[in-house]
Amino acid sequence: MRLLLLLTWPLLFGCNLDPQPLLQNYQDGEFVPADVVDLDLEESPPELGDNEPFIGNLGPSDVGGGHTSGATLTISGTGERVCVIVDPQSVFRDDLQLAGDGDEYWNPFMDDFPHDDGDIDLQAGLAAFYTGTPGVELGDFFGSFPDSNGVDRAVDLNLCLMNDLHGIAGGTAGRGTPEWCSFETQADVDYRIVLRVFSVPVDDDELTYALQILDGECPGNINECTLRGDYDYREGLEDIIPDGFSTVEHLYCDGLE
């Protein structure tokens, strides 16, 4: 009798095992295709040396189909180093604030809300080595070459390398945290910058980001406040953020003087 009750328990109360609603690209009963943006086609595309960051938006990846959302930008090499910085929405910890001395302090009046954060991985390399199609399919800079025995060997031609916490090149910054890199360029040669969506905020399935390309080496003190504008205004924020602040970025960067 007990065995019969256990077997019929799901039938009595119902059980929905459909995993589709858990996917970020499943919205309103249908799958949303990957969002691949060619920034070169924007009315005002990001340019090398812009003083103000470019603010863009990207949707979720098509996880089941293996298609990644992201954006690409083509720049012409200068013969010198260039620096690329991208800051994904929003801040890593909403309950921390940045002070004027550069240290972070805990804000006891604020909780952390990771559902409003996104993550973008940054890559760059010679446009000729890029495997994707701008505006259609996101690619990378992996290639191959035959060794002396005629065996194909994989090679990663990505020039945009960040050091991880242990100082090893090839790390990524993670959720809600800026990424940056600096690399040498050849004059008048095209380079492609790739913003690869690792995750989008789960509260609205849309990621806002700030992007800037600078001449020379990257600044030595890049943080959440280096590029501003990687947030979105949403109803209900006024119930979360203390009075006097419009966004979690505003609170983090300007909360302590």
Side-chain angles (χ1 to χ4, degrees):
M1 183 64 179
R2 291 181 179 177
L3 178 61
L4 179 61
L5 289 175
L6 289 175
L7 291 175
T8 58
W9 187 270
L11 299 177
L12 293 174
F13 293 93
C15 184
N16 183 5
L17 300 179
D18 183 8
Q20 293 181 151
L22 301 177
L23 300 174
Q24 292 185 7
N25 69 316
Y26 187 76
Q27 301 171 2
D28 301 325
E30 61 183 16
F31 287 99
V32 178
D35 185 16
V36 181
V37 178
D38 183 359
L39 294 177
D40 297 325
L41 302 180
E42 292 285 315
E43 184 175 344
S44 298
E47 293 184 359
L48 176 64
D50 280 347
N51 292 324
E52 296 296 325
F54 173 87
I55 307 299
N57 295 280
L58 289 168
S61 299
D62 179 4
V63 179
H67 303 295
T68 304
S69 292
T72 58
L73 173 70
T74 307
I75 62 172
S76 182
T78 63
E80 305 291 339
R81 295 190 75 86
V82 298
C83 169
V84 184
I85 309 172
V86 62
D87 192 351
Q89 183 184 329
S90 220
V91 296
F92 175 65
R93 288 280 299 273
D94 301 319
D95 56 352
L96 295 179
Q97 293 181 355
L98 190 68
D101 58 6
D103 290 334
E104 292 180 325
Y105 293 87
W106 178 54
N107 178 2
F109 305 104
M110 185 70 180
D111 292 327
D112 184 29
F113 298 94
H115 58 267
D116 65 344
D117 297 335
D119 189 359
I120 284 181
D121 292 336
L122 182 62
Q123 294 179 309
L126 287 166
F129 293 155
Y130 182 59
T131 63
T133 303
V136 178
E137 187 78 16
L138 210 66
D140 51 41
F141 296 94
F142 281 100
S144 64
F145 69 95
D147 64 13
S148 57
N149 295 318
V151 178
D152 277 345
R153 302 293 183 181
V155 57
D156 186 359
L157 300 172
N158 172 37
L159 300 176
C160 186
L161 299 176
M162 272 190 69
N163 291 337
D164 61 17
L165 293 177
H166 305 286
I168 300 175
T172 56
R175 173 177 61 84
T177 308
E179 293 198 6
W180 64 91
C181 68
S182 177
F183 54 92
E184 293 281 354
T185 64
Q186 303 177 50
D188 302 321
V189 174
D190 284 342
Y191 290 80
R192 188 143 294 144
I193 296 167
V194 180
L195 311 182
R196 181 179 300 276
V197 174
F198 185 82
S199 67
V200 297
V202 297
D203 60 359
D204 62 357
D205 297 332
E206 183 178 68
L207 185 151
T208 302
Y209 66 91
L211 171 68
Q212 191 171 42
I213 306 100
L214 305 172
D215 288 301
E217 294 279 0
C218 290
N221 57 344
I222 295 175
N223 56 43
E224 302 276 7
C225 307
T226 301
L227 303 185
R228 301 291 290 268
D230 51 289
Y231 55 81
D232 59 1
Y233 290 99
R234 293 184 56 77
E235 294 182 3
L237 281 178
E238 62 276 3
D239 299 327
I240 299 174
I241 301 175
D243 291 339
F245 299 97
S246 58
T247 68
V248 290
E249 182 186 68
H250 183 197
L251 175 65
Y252 177 84
C253 296
D254 304 320
L256 292 174
E257 299 295 338

